Amino acid sequence: TAGVTTIAGTSTFAKKTTVNATLEATEGLNVTAGISTLRGELKLTEGTSNVSNGDEIGSLMFVYPGNDNNNAKITALQTTGTSGADLAFFTRTQGDGTNTDGGEERLRLDSNGKVGLGTTNPAFFVSIRDAAPYIRIEDTAAPVNEKTWDFNAGTDGILRFRNTNDAANSSNNWLEVERDGVDTSSIRLLTGTGSERLRITSTGQLVTNAASSIDCAAGGMHLYLGAGARDDYSTSADGLIIEKN
């Protein structure tokens, strides 16, 4: 066809179809066989001008032939204001018998270009939300068991950076950042199999091997060796003080 073709009801294409113009579908469009070639635009609309914020404008549903339970979809959603729309991407997990309409939303691309994983309202350029979110980076050119790095925000308020093997079943931390609300409680460096070697506390104390420490305050330095009780030289300006206990 040429020009603009408008489909006002649910239509099914059961063979190869070529549209050399703009195809507008206001209700439903099913392609069940062959290949449909669109040379122009495919416009999907909800079919009414009374669309509220968050309502679906149009969607593309992908359905496995002969089994409607295998499906996924991409949906455009109305946003506030006179223009703009979000895109939501849905997938359906194996055995999901509830979310039949494309599954659950996994990714949101909002009208400002922000990407949300696990959230429908991304606050920043990339927002990730989960019970224990992991981000993994893999260098395929690296040696065996040196390809993968990841970091995660645990439920205990500690952000962990890890070395991970190729099978992703063994990891060791090399950096940990612990928080208390919006304050940073400590920063810890780990080596070997994840043993802590160096810590910076919230007061600026530098602790090695969780026992010895170095304090730098008021123009002086206090070097403490040992695991016993330590004197307080935090306000001393007497230069270098070495204490062993």
Side-chain angles (χ1 to χ4, degrees):
T1 63
V4 178
T5 299
T6 302
I7 299 174
T10 299
S11 299
T12 299
F13 291 81
K15 61 181 180 180
K16 181 176 179 179
T17 305
T18 299
V19 179
N20 295 315
T22 297
L23 178 63
E24 295 183 352
T26 59
E27 291 189 29
L29 174 63
N30 299 324
V31 179
T32 61
I35 300 174
S36 292
T37 303
L38 305 178
R39 295 188 177 94
E41 291 182 336
L42 173 62
K43 291 186 177 181
L44 304 176
T45 180
E46 192 271 349
T48 176
S49 60
N50 298 319
V51 181
S52 300
N53 182 37
D55 284 351
E56 181 178 310
I57 299 173
S59 65
L60 285 173
M61 174 76 81
F62 304 89
V63 181
Y64 185 79
N67 185 356
D68 289 346
N69 290 325
N70 294 338
N71 55 51
K73 73 174 181 178
I74 303 173
T75 300
L77 302 170
Q78 170 70 16
T79 58
T80 58
T82 58
S83 62
D86 292 353
L87 281 179
F89 295 77
F90 293 74
T91 61
R92 189 174 180 186
T93 58
Q94 176 67 28
D96 182 357
T98 303
N99 301 291
T100 58
D101 187 24
E104 296 182 83
E105 182 177 340
R106 311 297 184 184
L107 184 147
R108 175 71 64 98
L109 177 61
D110 76 5
S111 59
N112 294 313
K114 296 176 183 176
V115 177
L117 297 170
T119 176
T120 60
N121 186 29
F124 300 96
F125 187 68
V126 177
S127 297
I128 300 175
R129 188 171 184 264
D130 195 19
Y134 280 77
I135 295 179
R136 178 159 293 168
I137 301 172
E138 183 175 351
D139 179 2
T140 57
V144 174
N145 288 330
E146 295 181 8
K147 296 179 173 64
T148 306
W149 309 74
D150 63 32
F151 62 93
N152 70 89
T155 57
D156 53 0
I158 299 177
L159 177 65
R160 295 176 172 86
F161 296 79
R162 313 188 308 172
N163 306 322
T164 301
N165 67 351
D166 293 349
N169 57 14
S170 178
S171 302
N172 286 313
N173 298 348
W174 57 271
L175 176 64
E176 297 176 350
V177 181
E178 185 174 11
R179 62 186 294 178
D180 180 12
V182 297
D183 297 335
T184 301
S185 300
S186 66
I187 299 174
R188 305 190 285 264
L189 290 176
L190 306 91
T191 61
T193 57
S195 298
E196 181 180 336
R197 308 300 186 189
L198 184 67
R199 176 184 298 213
I200 302 175
T201 69
S202 60
T203 59
Q205 183 184 71
L206 190 63
V207 182
T208 61
N209 294 326
S212 301
S213 66
I214 301 174
D215 289 337
C216 297
M221 177 179 289
H222 175 205
L223 176 60
Y224 173 77
L225 306 174
R230 59 192 301 277
D231 295 327
D232 184 9
Y233 292 97
S234 60
T235 60
S236 173
D238 295 333
L240 176 63
I241 300 173
I242 301 176
E243 177 185 2
K244 187 177 185 305
N245 197 338

